Amino acid sequence: MEIAKQLKDSDNLKPLPDEKNLGFGIHFTDHMFKMNYLDDKGWHSPEIVPYSDFSLDPAAVVLHYGQAIFEGLKAYKGKDKRIRLFRPWENAKRLNRSAWRMCMPQMDEALFIKAIKELVKIEKRWIPSQKGTSLYIRPFIIASEPFLGVRPAKEYIFSIILTPVGAYYAEGFNPVKIFVTDKFVRAAKGGVGEAKTAGNYAASLMASEEAKKLGFTQVLWLDAAERKYVEEVGTMNIFFLIDDRLVTPALSGSILPGITRDSVLTLARDWGIKAEERPISIDEVLESAESGRLKECFGTGTAAVISPVGSLYYKGKSVEVNGGQTGQLAQKLFDEITAIQYGEKEDKFGWIEFVE
Ligand SMILES: *Cc1c(COP(=O)(O)O)cnc(C)c1O
């Protein structure tokens, strides 16, 4: 499918934000991608247009019944000036899995990649060049049909917007303090926890606001049924290094299958580290911390890549991890993944897709 383009005049472009002060998700580029779906027509009319409001009927299904899914990935500019995407085909596949779960239409994965590449190419002046900075890519699908009834919508909008983002660790790693909640849950088995769907994030706000009020950075989620097994940390997957084994919760249906999670497992196994995907209880985590066997703990996700955990607070008790310092494995994984993303290390797993 050809992508139509309606571009702004070059003297009408937005001024670029200060590269040293980008934050996350604040500035949006000059253009966006958009495409419509109608039940009897399928996906049609893909186009790149100036960044602008959507026109949505107040009865649009997304506003009432929440049929909304999204993805998140980044474009990186290396020292060689080439622009790289990291495993974008995984985002395409995951978007379709989320769509399936939310009864939304599938889309062509090749078109998903092509749309990202063409949009990023047009917006390449927005890609910051300092190490650690990138252009965050947010593809999403919403149900746009005006209809107040609970059934899958027959009309959708797929769109991609771009936002330049700063280095997550401009001042180096800062291990975070985690609050383990046994009061709220993120997702239950059989629910929509494994889909990247908007409502999951609305559902998580209360717990993270409570944790922040108490001085913690993030929430660690336990399973919904027993409040016993570890699931995720904030909007990241979680890893524990216990003795010499790397452990992460198995994908059980309530956990988001992170692409960074998969990259970490792949690298660790390639380095000869035993990596286990299995249920891990909060009691096992705390016992291994108390006996000195818990060497490291960190979250993984596209935004931060690796986020070291410095302490865990559970039922009135706090345990430190690795003396509150970043562990060696966390550091090594961060260095390796970012080096691949910026083209400074061989892409031995074929993870990189060049924009140009
Ligand atoms: C997006 C997301 C992750 C991380 O996925 P990546 O593909 O590694 O960015 C983990 N947990 C939740 C809940 C998420 O939404």
mmCIF file of all heavy atoms in Angstrom, residues 70-72 91 94 186 193 195-196 201 232-237 256-261 300-303, ligand 1:
data_model
loop_
_atom_site.group_PDB
_atom_site.id
_atom_site.type_symbol
_atom_site.label_atom_id
_atom_site.label_comp_id
_atom_site.label_asym_id
_atom_site.label_seq_id
_atom_site.Cartn_x
_atom_site.Cartn_y
_atom_site.Cartn_z
ATOM 1 N N PHE A 70 -1.623 0.096 22.183
ATOM 2 C CA PHE A 70 -0.498 0.899 21.703
ATOM 3 C C PHE A 70 0.781 0.086 21.710
ATOM 4 O O PHE A 70 0.839 -1.039 22.221
ATOM 5 C CB PHE A 70 -0.359 2.175 22.540
ATOM 6 C CG PHE A 70 0.038 1.964 23.977
ATOM 7 C CD1 PHE A 70 1.378 1.994 24.360
ATOM 8 C CD2 PHE A 70 -0.920 1.738 24.959
ATOM 9 C CE1 PHE A 70 1.744 1.809 25.686
ATOM 10 C CE2 PHE A 70 -0.555 1.561 26.288
ATOM 11 C CZ PHE A 70 0.773 1.592 26.653
ATOM 12 N N GLU A 71 1.818 0.680 21.130
ATOM 13 C CA GLU A 71 3.165 0.121 21.159
ATOM 14 C C GLU A 71 4.141 1.233 21.529
ATOM 15 O O GLU A 71 3.763 2.407 21.558
ATOM 16 C CB GLU A 71 3.537 -0.482 19.795
ATOM 17 C CG GLU A 71 3.115 -1.936 19.644
ATOM 18 C CD GLU A 71 3.717 -2.805 20.737
ATOM 19 O OE1 GLU A 71 4.891 -2.582 21.112
ATOM 20 O OE2 GLU A 71 3.023 -3.702 21.245
ATOM 21 N N GLY A 72 5.377 0.854 21.820
ATOM 22 C CA GLY A 72 6.401 1.850 22.119
ATOM 23 C C GLY A 72 7.743 1.316 21.683
ATOM 24 O O GLY A 72 8.119 0.198 22.041
ATOM 25 N N ASN A 91 7.443 -5.476 17.847
ATOM 26 C CA ASN A 91 6.356 -4.548 18.188
ATOM 27 C C ASN A 91 5.153 -4.778 17.276
ATOM 28 O O ASN A 91 4.005 -4.720 17.735
ATOM 29 C CB ASN A 91 6.821 -3.091 18.057
ATOM 30 C CG ASN A 91 7.921 -2.745 19.047
ATOM 31 O OD1 ASN A 91 9.097 -2.825 18.711
ATOM 32 N ND2 ASN A 91 7.547 -2.400 20.264
ATOM 33 N N ARG A 94 3.423 -7.888 18.465
ATOM 34 C CA ARG A 94 2.737 -7.683 19.753
ATOM 35 C C ARG A 94 1.489 -6.819 19.575
ATOM 36 O O ARG A 94 0.472 -7.053 20.229
ATOM 37 C CB ARG A 94 3.698 -7.070 20.772
ATOM 38 C CG ARG A 94 3.113 -7.045 22.181
ATOM 39 C CD ARG A 94 4.152 -6.666 23.220
ATOM 40 N NE ARG A 94 4.660 -5.328 23.002
ATOM 41 C CZ ARG A 94 5.717 -4.818 23.647
ATOM 42 N NH1 ARG A 94 6.372 -5.557 24.536
ATOM 43 N NH2 ARG A 94 6.120 -3.596 23.404
ATOM 44 N N ARG A 186 -2.426 -5.485 39.256
ATOM 45 C CA ARG A 186 -2.393 -4.910 37.904
ATOM 46 C C ARG A 186 -3.285 -5.682 36.940
ATOM 47 O O ARG A 186 -4.013 -5.108 36.144
ATOM 48 C CB ARG A 186 -0.945 -4.932 37.381
ATOM 49 C CG ARG A 186 -0.710 -4.079 36.155
ATOM 50 C CD ARG A 186 0.668 -4.327 35.541
ATOM 51 N NE ARG A 186 0.652 -5.485 34.668
ATOM 52 C CZ ARG A 186 0.384 -5.443 33.368
ATOM 53 N NH1 ARG A 186 0.134 -4.294 32.778
ATOM 54 N NH2 ARG A 186 0.358 -6.549 32.647
ATOM 55 N N GLY A 193 -3.914 -8.388 30.985
ATOM 56 C CA GLY A 193 -2.573 -7.968 31.390
ATOM 57 C C GLY A 193 -1.503 -8.176 30.341
ATOM 58 O O GLY A 193 -0.524 -7.435 30.301
ATOM 59 N N ALA A 195 -1.932 -7.763 27.175
ATOM 60 C CA ALA A 195 -2.162 -6.850 26.043
ATOM 61 C C ALA A 195 -1.695 -5.449 26.437
ATOM 62 O O ALA A 195 -1.853 -5.033 27.581
ATOM 63 C CB ALA A 195 -3.640 -6.822 25.680
ATOM 64 N N LYS A 196 -1.109 -4.722 25.475
ATOM 65 C CA LYS A 196 -0.712 -3.336 25.756
ATOM 66 C C LYS A 196 -1.935 -2.471 25.469
ATOM 67 O O LYS A 196 -2.053 -1.844 24.418
ATOM 68 C CB LYS A 196 0.487 -2.948 24.883
ATOM 69 C CG LYS A 196 1.662 -2.389 25.705
ATOM 70 C CD LYS A 196 2.912 -2.199 24.891
ATOM 71 C CE LYS A 196 3.846 -1.182 25.496
ATOM 72 N NZ LYS A 196 4.443 -1.553 26.775
ATOM 73 N N TYR A 201 -3.203 0.835 32.242
ATOM 74 C CA TYR A 201 -2.399 1.911 32.826
ATOM 75 C C TYR A 201 -3.266 2.778 33.729
ATOM 76 O O TYR A 201 -2.824 3.222 34.789
ATOM 77 C CB TYR A 201 -1.674 2.663 31.690
ATOM 78 C CG TYR A 201 -0.891 1.619 30.907
ATOM 79 C CD1 TYR A 201 -1.499 0.878 29.903
ATOM 80 C CD2 TYR A 201 0.386 1.248 31.307
ATOM 81 C CE1 TYR A 201 -0.855 -0.181 29.282
ATOM 82 C CE2 TYR A 201 1.043 0.192 30.695
ATOM 83 C CZ TYR A 201 0.420 -0.521 29.681
ATOM 84 O OH TYR A 201 1.045 -1.577 29.095
ATOM 85 N N GLU A 232 5.306 -7.854 37.839
ATOM 86 C CA GLU A 232 6.037 -6.814 37.103
ATOM 87 C C GLU A 232 6.374 -5.686 38.066
ATOM 88 O O GLU A 232 5.886 -5.649 39.204
ATOM 89 C CB GLU A 232 5.180 -6.238 35.963
ATOM 90 C CG GLU A 232 4.814 -7.257 34.910
ATOM 91 C CD GLU A 232 4.432 -6.593 33.590
ATOM 92 O OE1 GLU A 232 5.223 -5.786 33.063
ATOM 93 O OE2 GLU A 232 3.335 -6.892 33.096
ATOM 94 N N VAL A 233 7.189 -4.764 37.608
ATOM 95 C CA VAL A 233 7.513 -3.594 38.425
ATOM 96 C C VAL A 233 7.123 -2.352 37.624
ATOM 97 O O VAL A 233 7.645 -2.119 36.541
ATOM 98 C CB VAL A 233 9.004 -3.594 38.852
ATOM 99 C CG1 VAL A 233 9.954 -3.619 37.672
ATOM 100 C CG2 VAL A 233 9.316 -2.420 39.764
ATOM 101 N N GLY A 234 6.128 -1.593 38.133
ATOM 102 C CA GLY A 234 5.612 -0.436 37.401
ATOM 103 C C GLY A 234 5.140 -0.895 36.037
ATOM 104 O O GLY A 234 4.306 -1.789 35.926
ATOM 105 N N THR A 235 5.683 -0.304 34.982
ATOM 106 C CA THR A 235 5.360 -0.761 33.621
ATOM 107 C C THR A 235 6.587 -1.419 33.007
ATOM 108 O O THR A 235 6.897 -1.244 31.833
ATOM 109 C CB THR A 235 4.901 0.411 32.742
ATOM 110 O OG1 THR A 235 5.933 1.400 32.744
ATOM 111 C CG2 THR A 235 3.635 1.044 33.272
ATOM 112 N N MET A 236 7.286 -2.191 33.840
ATOM 113 C CA MET A 236 8.452 -2.920 33.358
ATOM 114 C C MET A 236 8.373 -4.381 33.792
ATOM 115 O O MET A 236 7.727 -4.707 34.785
ATOM 116 C CB MET A 236 9.737 -2.304 33.924
ATOM 117 C CG MET A 236 10.095 -0.963 33.301
ATOM 118 S SD MET A 236 11.699 -0.384 33.852
ATOM 119 C CE MET A 236 11.264 0.232 35.457
ATOM 120 N N ASN A 237 9.093 -5.231 33.077
ATOM 121 C CA ASN A 237 9.287 -6.616 33.531
ATOM 122 C C ASN A 237 10.379 -6.608 34.593
ATOM 123 O O ASN A 237 11.140 -5.658 34.708
ATOM 124 C CB ASN A 237 9.667 -7.506 32.353
ATOM 125 C CG ASN A 237 8.549 -7.587 31.328
ATOM 126 O OD1 ASN A 237 8.680 -7.094 30.210
ATOM 127 N ND2 ASN A 237 7.430 -8.180 31.699
ATOM 128 N N LEU A 256 3.001 -8.590 30.744
ATOM 129 C CA LEU A 256 3.248 -8.050 29.405
ATOM 130 C C LEU A 256 4.543 -8.661 28.858
ATOM 131 O O LEU A 256 5.584 -8.556 29.516
ATOM 132 C CB LEU A 256 3.350 -6.521 29.515
ATOM 133 C CG LEU A 256 3.146 -5.626 28.298
ATOM 134 C CD1 LEU A 256 4.318 -5.721 27.328
ATOM 135 C CD2 LEU A 256 1.836 -5.882 27.579
ATOM 136 N N PRO A 257 4.493 -9.278 27.680
ATOM 137 C CA PRO A 257 5.708 -9.886 27.117
ATOM 138 C C PRO A 257 6.658 -8.827 26.558
ATOM 139 O O PRO A 257 6.594 -8.475 25.386
ATOM 140 C CB PRO A 257 5.176 -10.809 26.014
ATOM 141 C CG PRO A 257 3.831 -10.269 25.663
ATOM 142 C CD PRO A 257 3.304 -9.512 26.835
ATOM 143 N N GLY A 258 7.531 -8.320 27.399
ATOM 144 C CA GLY A 258 8.427 -7.233 27.011
ATOM 145 C C GLY A 258 9.484 -7.683 26.014
ATOM 146 O O GLY A 258 10.017 -8.789 26.105
ATOM 147 N N ILE A 259 9.791 -6.795 25.084
ATOM 148 C CA ILE A 259 10.829 -7.085 24.093
ATOM 149 C C ILE A 259 12.200 -6.945 24.757
ATOM 150 O O ILE A 259 13.118 -7.712 24.477
ATOM 151 C CB ILE A 259 10.649 -6.160 22.870
ATOM 152 C CG1 ILE A 259 9.302 -6.485 22.207
ATOM 153 C CG2 ILE A 259 11.801 -6.315 21.874
ATOM 154 C CD1 ILE A 259 8.781 -5.421 21.258
ATOM 155 N N THR A 260 12.333 -6.009 25.676
ATOM 156 C CA THR A 260 13.584 -5.881 26.425
ATOM 157 C C THR A 260 13.795 -7.123 27.303
ATOM 158 O O THR A 260 14.917 -7.627 27.418
ATOM 159 C CB THR A 260 13.562 -4.614 27.308
ATOM 160 O OG1 THR A 260 12.961 -3.550 26.568
ATOM 161 C CG2 THR A 260 14.965 -4.214 27.726
ATOM 162 N N ARG A 261 12.717 -7.621 27.897
ATOM 163 C CA ARG A 261 12.778 -8.872 28.675
ATOM 164 C C ARG A 261 13.366 -9.996 27.826
ATOM 165 O O ARG A 261 14.287 -10.697 28.248
ATOM 166 C CB ARG A 261 11.359 -9.240 29.147
ATOM 167 C CG ARG A 261 11.232 -10.594 29.844
ATOM 168 C CD ARG A 261 9.741 -10.900 30.103
ATOM 169 N NE ARG A 261 9.562 -12.168 30.800
ATOM 170 C CZ ARG A 261 9.588 -13.360 30.192
ATOM 171 N NH1 ARG A 261 9.784 -13.446 28.891
ATOM 172 N NH2 ARG A 261 9.415 -14.454 30.909
ATOM 173 N N THR A 300 13.020 -4.070 33.329
ATOM 174 C CA THR A 300 13.414 -3.916 31.925
ATOM 175 C C THR A 300 12.255 -3.355 31.107
ATOM 176 O O THR A 300 11.103 -3.742 31.306
ATOM 177 C CB THR A 300 13.820 -5.266 31.285
ATOM 178 O OG1 THR A 300 12.671 -6.131 31.228
ATOM 179 C CG2 THR A 300 14.926 -5.947 32.065
ATOM 180 N N GLY A 301 12.576 -2.436 30.201
ATOM 181 C CA GLY A 301 11.568 -1.870 29.311
ATOM 182 C C GLY A 301 12.230 -0.928 28.313
ATOM 183 O O GLY A 301 13.377 -0.513 28.524
ATOM 184 N N THR A 302 11.539 -0.617 27.253
ATOM 185 C CA THR A 302 12.111 0.210 26.183
ATOM 186 C C THR A 302 12.581 1.576 26.689
ATOM 187 O O THR A 302 13.632 2.065 26.275
ATOM 188 C CB THR A 302 11.058 0.395 25.062
ATOM 189 O OG1 THR A 302 10.813 -0.885 24.490
ATOM 190 C CG2 THR A 302 11.531 1.357 23.988
ATOM 191 N N ALA A 303 11.799 2.206 27.570
ATOM 192 C CA ALA A 303 12.128 3.572 27.984
ATOM 193 C C ALA A 303 13.472 3.626 28.703
ATOM 194 O O ALA A 303 14.347 4.405 28.340
ATOM 195 C CB ALA A 303 11.023 4.139 28.865
HETATM 196 C C1 LIG B 1 5.581 -1.988 27.494
HETATM 197 C C2 LIG B 1 5.592 -2.696 28.799
HETATM 198 C C3 LIG B 1 6.698 -3.453 29.257
HETATM 199 C C4 LIG B 1 8.025 -3.466 28.547
HETATM 200 O O1 LIG B 1 7.982 -3.888 27.243
HETATM 201 P P1 LIG B 1 9.202 -3.550 26.270
HETATM 202 O O2 LIG B 1 8.788 -4.190 24.994
HETATM 203 O O3 LIG B 1 10.414 -4.136 26.864
HETATM 204 O O4 LIG B 1 9.257 -2.054 26.183
HETATM 205 C C5 LIG B 1 6.553 -4.168 30.427
HETATM 206 N N1 LIG B 1 5.426 -4.124 31.168
HETATM 207 C C6 LIG B 1 4.358 -3.381 30.777
HETATM 208 C C7 LIG B 1 3.142 -3.378 31.626
HETATM 209 C C8 LIG B 1 4.418 -2.642 29.594
HETATM 210 O O5 LIG B 1 3.372 -1.906 29.218
#
